[in-house]
Amino acid sequence: MTRRVSIVVPALNEAAGIAATLGALAPWRAAGHEVIVVDGGSTDATVPLAAAWADRVLAAPRGRARQMNAGAAAARHGVLLFLHADTRLPPGALDAIERALQRGAAWGRFDVRIDGRSRGLAVVAALMNLRSRASGIATGDQAIFVRRDAFDAAGGFPDQPLMEDVELSRRLKRSAGRPACLRDRVVTSGRRWDERGMWRTIWLMWTLRWRYWRGTPAEVLARAYR
């Protein structure tokens, strides 16, 4: 029998696209899975829009890690899927997750495709997927899924303002092994690439990752990211 999944969506001022993201999850809800939106203090219409499409809309202190941990704490099912508010799951995502879990994986992520105006985003996405597959480190854009027991054993997301996905991946690798790297592709928004410029964003993200690997505190990196 297919395991039930709790989809946790952290959100902050996502009124422009939250209904489309959550509307695409309606078949999941109809099949008995749940969708939990965790709002970090939106000042737009995110909350009322999400309420029409989610099983629950929670409020939590701002910050993806805190919001996702709050959603995980409220989740009813044994598999957690963390989905960014600007990301769409591929067709067959549920079956792909179930197959990975049946093969013994405790956690995993999808390949990603970036939808944006900037040229070269297909190459950026391909490099992200290759890096993740080689390192066993997943990013939030790749829709991380994990068994609830493995998530709890790893201590959940660390309470930090940036690189929470990288740190969770490290914890899960130590406690539960390498991730299942699914080739099915989620589609995520390229808005940050379009707004900042592709090459500037690539340089920024690689620099931040290198500094984090060298031990720079996440709080310092978050200020540089902003």
Side-chain angles (χ1 to χ4, degrees):
M1 184 178 71
T2 300
R3 277 161 273 212
R4 297 283 177 87
V5 178
S6 294
I7 304 174
V8 177
V9 183
L12 179 65
N13 293 330
E14 294 286 356
I18 192 70
T21 297
L22 299 180
L25 299 175
W28 290 64
R29 295 180 67 201
H33 309 283
E34 69 174 343
V35 175
I36 302 171
V37 175
V38 188
D39 185 70
S42 294
T43 55
D44 62 6
T46 295
V47 170
L49 288 170
W53 294 100
D55 295 284
R56 279 176 285 176
V57 179
L58 310 177
R62 180 176 301 188
R64 271 184 175 152
R66 292 176 177 178
Q67 291 170 241
M68 290 187 290
N69 282 339
R76 294 181 295 135
H77 300 318
V79 179
L80 305 172
L81 170 59
F82 298 97
L83 183 69
H84 285 184
D86 60 358
T87 301
R88 303 281 191 91
L89 294 169
L94 179 60
D95 291 339
I97 291 172
E98 181 62 28
R99 287 194 298 270
L101 296 175
Q102 288 180 355
R103 289 194 295 266
W107 69 293
R109 92 317 177 254
F110 292 85
D111 275 358
V112 67
R113 179 170 70 83
I114 305 171
D115 182 19
R117 298 188 307 272
S118 301
R119 294 182 178 181
L121 288 179
V123 175
V124 172
L127 292 175
M128 287 173 60
N129 297 332
L130 286 172
R131 181 193 66 215
S132 174
R133 188 165 277 106
S135 66
I137 300 295
T139 67
D141 291 330
Q142 293 175 305
I144 297 171
F145 61 91
V146 57
R147 289 199 327 253
R148 177 60 178 269
D149 60 331
F151 181 79
D152 290 343
F157 285 97
D159 187 7
Q160 59 190 55
L162 198 69
M163 301 292 174
E164 74 286 341
D165 46 5
V166 172
E167 190 58 36
L168 176 66
S169 295
R170 288 178 173 176
R171 294 179 179 185
L172 287 170
K173 281 179 65 180
R174 288 195 296 266
S175 61
R178 290 179 63 85
C181 296
L182 306 185
R183 296 192 180 276
D184 310 66
R185 296 184 180 184
V186 297
V187 180
T188 194
S189 170
R191 57 188 174 181
R192 69 180 177 185
W193 310 88
D194 292 337
E195 292 167 1
R196 296 185 177 188
M198 187 181 76
W199 292 112
R200 182 183 177 192
T201 303
I202 290 172
W203 176 256
L204 174 64
M205 297 309 297
W206 276 98
T207 300
L208 293 176
R209 285 178 179 275
W210 181 80
R211 292 177 64 188
Y212 187 69
W213 177 73
R214 292 292 301 271
T216 302
E219 292 74 16
V220 174
L221 299 180
R223 290 195 293 270
Y225 180 76
R226 287 193 295 266

